[in-house]
Amino acid sequence: MAARRRLWHGLRVARTLWATQYAYMLEYRAEIALWALSGVVPFIMLGVWSAAGTAAQASGFSQPELARYFLCAFVARQFSVVWVVWQFEEDALQGRLSPYLLQPLHPLWRYVASHQAEQATRLPFVLVIAALFFLLQPLAFALPGPGRALLGVLAVGLAFAINFLLQSLIAACCFWTERASALERLLYIPYLFLSGLVAPLESFPEPVRAWALRTPFPLMVAFPARLLSGDPFPTGPHALSIAGGFGAMALWIVLLVPLLVLVWRAGVRRYSAMGA
Amino acid sequence: MGRYLRSLRRFWGTAAAGQMEYQLNLLIELVAMAGNLAGSLFVLSLFFRQGEGLGGWSWPAAQVVLGAYTVLDGLTSTLLRPNLSRIVTHVQEGTLDFVLLKPIDSQFWLSLRTVSPAGLPELAVGAGLMLWAAPQAGASLAPASLVLALVLLAAAAVILYALWFVLAATSIWFVKTWNATEVLRAALTAGRYPVSAYPPALRTLFTLVLPVAFLTTVPAEAILGRLHWHWGVASVLVAALALVVSRLFWRFALRFYTSASS
């Protein structure tokens, strides 16, 4: 009985959070559209990769597959972008964090809700960009089967979760240093080069790929992009597979959640409000 | 003129002294630069694994282009980002009024008020990469081609500056244009590769609409000693035009400035 009431209460809190954050994000539609556009890097890289024909073919990509891969990498990135560290840093510096900490709701849930609201605002822009892309590259047009599409959406959601957990871990460093966003820059570099955003993992030399697959980065872009594209997964040693990818994602989440809880608790104990 | 040079020395002296307070930030910048360069070289090397090359550029020649990109990126961190990102804040908070009241040219003040030494190592490493890779690509590094490369890099810097400044100046109408500069930054990463590495449609786009070709490919060809003279002339002309346009655009924008909260 008590459990059911708590679940009910949780749902109501979530609905209110989503509704307010969505209304807030709608105000910033134009900015979010520009932000969606600033993810053009996969399209630029598609240009280089398709002009350098043999390098792509040697990685097992036909031209339409390559185009689909980079489009899906763009989509995966759009819905797993995380900016919690900047928001959190600002809230901490401006003193807004103190009232949040007093509320009977973990502050991170508020950020989760605002990220999800922002993704909902982004959706129409991403659909327009994808439609334009297929108009320009009609040969690349193909939709994944319903099963693959569902798995793809699930993978994007989990990629967002891993990204969010990693960045929150850095954000929690705000309790110790005021400029945690500088640390985020360091996390972004391996993400950019190893996630599959600028080059498909299949084009990496064997040892680098084996090493990259031990990091969470390929799970954030390359894996969901492959699922969304509907194209078959590559075979051979050191290759991502559907089961392996989801297993690794679960493992990272199981690892990161307790770590974040511990760091957060230690940080709050150390926290002594800005300017107070 | 002398007054402007004296002001500049004061501006940068205080800014550098302020930045030196944050040594940890400097260290993080250094690590980030090394990581970025290593990653860019790695991705570039992926195109050369099959031995075909990138748009007719050899591996060392493509590194020269990456070097030019690194130089401009360093310049962006040193001068453009610290200064031009503040225009938005000035408009938003109404402090642009104070800038306009100063007895000094407002575009000069806004563009060169501060400097961030954290970007200097990147500038040096980019120049080093250009000088190291060019002889391997068969360049003789004759003084004439070095001077030409330097002039064209300066022209590239002016073009880059004008693009950023015009975009930042639109904040007079739209207030929040920070994300627009992010779009520009993302699109400019195309300069990591020679412009001939792109399909024809993008090549046209990167030459005529978004002049990425003038930013990195043209200076790289100059240091390699294989620049067609008309590209060099075009680059300088585009730079001059960009500077004039940024000037006129700022004058035009100011006519619409009505200060915050009024």
Side-chain angles (χ1 to χ4, degrees):
Chain A
M1 195 61 200
R4 232 179 85 190
R5 200 179 311 146
R6 267 182 57 193
L7 181 72
W8 193 239
H9 175 75
L11 278 177
R12 231 183 46 212
V13 170
R15 215 186 57 198
T16 318
L17 268 180
W18 280 326
T20 48
Q21 294 290 349
Y22 184 61
Y24 180 74
M25 287 300 166
L26 275 184
E27 289 282 311
Y28 292 96
R29 276 188 305 263
E31 266 170 273
I32 290 174
L34 281 176
W35 210 12
L37 262 184
S38 72
V40 291
V41 172
F43 296 133
I44 294 175
M45 293 315 293
L46 169 64
V48 186
W49 278 104
S50 44
T54 48
Q57 275 157 25
S59 322
F61 280 91
S62 68
Q63 181 58 34
E65 276 176 350
L66 195 69
R68 269 199 298 276
Y69 172 80
F70 276 109
L71 174 70
C72 294
F74 167 79
V75 173
R77 164 87 181 139
Q78 288 294 316
F79 293 105
S80 60
V81 167
V82 173
W83 31 269
V84 64
V85 66
W86 290 277
Q87 183 70 48
F88 186 79
E89 190 181 279
E90 204 189 309
D91 285 347
L93 285 175
Q94 308 260 346
R96 277 193 294 259
L97 185 61
S98 309
Y100 289 169
L101 282 171
L102 288 177
Q103 288 174 357
L105 172 78
H106 199 291
L108 284 176
W109 286 120
R110 181 187 304 273
Y111 298 126
V112 171
S114 69
H115 277 74
Q116 286 168 342
E118 194 249 353
Q119 287 165 7
T121 323
R122 215 177 252 252
L123 183 66
F125 302 119
V126 175
L127 289 179
V128 168
I129 291 174
L132 277 177
F133 180 84
F134 282 134
L135 272 180
L136 290 171
Q137 302 247 348
L139 286 179
F141 184 75
L143 289 176
R148 281 294 282 276
L150 264 179
L151 283 179
V153 171
L154 178 67
V156 174
L158 290 174
F160 166 70
I162 294 177
N163 219 341
F164 188 87
L165 288 169
L166 269 176
Q167 220 185 71
S168 301
L169 209 55
I170 290 182
C173 296
C174 271
F175 289 120
W176 285 273
T177 161
E178 283 167 34
R179 295 263 171 239
S181 62
L183 290 174
E184 206 282 332
R185 277 195 57 168
L186 296 186
L187 183 71
Y188 181 70
I189 290 166
Y191 171 87
L192 180 64
F193 295 112
L194 298 180
S195 67
L197 201 62
V198 292
L201 253 68
E202 289 71 32
S203 67
F204 288 10
E206 194 85 7
V208 182
R209 188 177 351 142
W211 183 77
L213 282 173
R214 281 187 213 126
T215 68
F217 303 111
L219 300 171
M220 294 178 183
V221 175
F223 177 61
R226 257 295 154 108
L227 280 171
L228 283 175
S229 72
D231 292 320
F233 272 76
T235 48
H238 306 304
L240 274 171
S241 66
I242 299 184
F246 277 115
M249 283 179 136
L251 203 68
W252 277 104
I253 291 175
V254 167
L255 200 79
L256 285 169
V257 168
L259 192 63
L260 178 61
V261 169
L262 281 178
V263 172
W264 183 273
R265 274 206 201 128
V268 170
R269 223 171 289 142
R270 217 190 149 276
Y271 178 67
S272 58
M274 265 315 141
Chain B
M1 194 65 198
R3 193 164 62 97
Y4 279 80
L5 282 178
R6 259 201 325 277
S7 309
L8 205 57
R9 217 176 58 211
R10 282 282 153 76
F11 287 169
W12 290 3
T14 50
Q19 283 286 318
M20 291 300 171
E21 297 276 311
Y22 299 99
Q23 278 152 5
L24 184 68
N25 265 10
L26 230 55
L27 184 72
I28 289 176
E29 279 309 310
L30 273 180
V31 176
M33 179 204 70
N36 248 324
L37 193 65
S40 305
L41 281 171
F42 168 65
V43 172
L44 189 62
S45 76
L46 295 179
F47 295 105
F48 290 93
R49 284 180 69 206
Q50 305 303 322
E52 197 205 3
L54 196 61
W57 289 62
S58 65
W59 164 239
Q63 279 174 292
V64 176
V65 177
L66 188 61
Y69 177 82
T70 311
V71 167
L72 290 178
D73 203 45
L75 192 76
T76 309
S77 322
T78 318
L79 275 179
L80 299 185
R81 195 162 337 152
N83 285 299
L84 301 182
S85 64
R86 282 194 199 174
I87 297 181
V88 182
T89 324
H90 282 309
V91 173
Q92 221 169 3
E93 297 181 356
T95 43
L96 188 60
D97 299 10
F98 308 144
V99 180
L100 295 176
L101 288 174
K102 282 184 209 303
I104 197 166
D105 184 73
S106 58
Q107 186 175 0
F108 172 81
W109 196 93
L110 287 170
S111 308
L112 295 168
R113 170 63 189 84
T114 182
V115 65
S116 163
L120 290 176
E122 200 180 356
L123 237 164
V125 167
L129 183 60
M130 286 181 86
L131 289 174
W132 180 76
Q136 299 187 4
S140 60
L141 290 190
S145 62
L146 282 180
V147 170
L148 186 63
L150 210 61
V151 170
L152 291 176
L153 266 180
V158 169
I159 297 172
L160 187 63
Y161 158 76
L163 278 174
W164 266 72
F165 184 78
V166 166
L167 213 52
T170 55
S171 60
I172 293 222
W173 291 279
F174 307 115
V175 185
K176 287 199 157 185
T177 47
W178 181 232
N179 286 323
T181 53
E182 282 296 301
V183 179
L184 179 69
R185 214 172 59 97
L188 288 179
T189 55
R192 281 195 173 131
Y193 307 99
V195 75
S196 59
Y198 291 95
L202 278 181
R203 219 177 292 168
T204 318
L205 180 81
F206 288 148
T207 311
L208 297 178
V209 184
L210 191 73
V212 173
F214 295 109
L215 295 184
T216 54
T217 308
V218 169
E221 279 186 324
I223 200 169
L224 291 170
R226 59 185 200 203
L227 186 75
H228 274 290
W229 64 270
H230 52 256
W231 276 104
V233 174
S235 179
V236 173
L237 282 181
V238 170
L241 185 75
L243 198 61
V244 171
V245 167
S246 81
R247 186 86 195 142
L248 293 177
F249 188 77
W250 180 240
R251 292 244 183 103
F252 176 70
L254 278 185
R255 278 200 270 154
F256 292 86
Y257 180 64
T258 50
S259 187
S261 76
S262 61

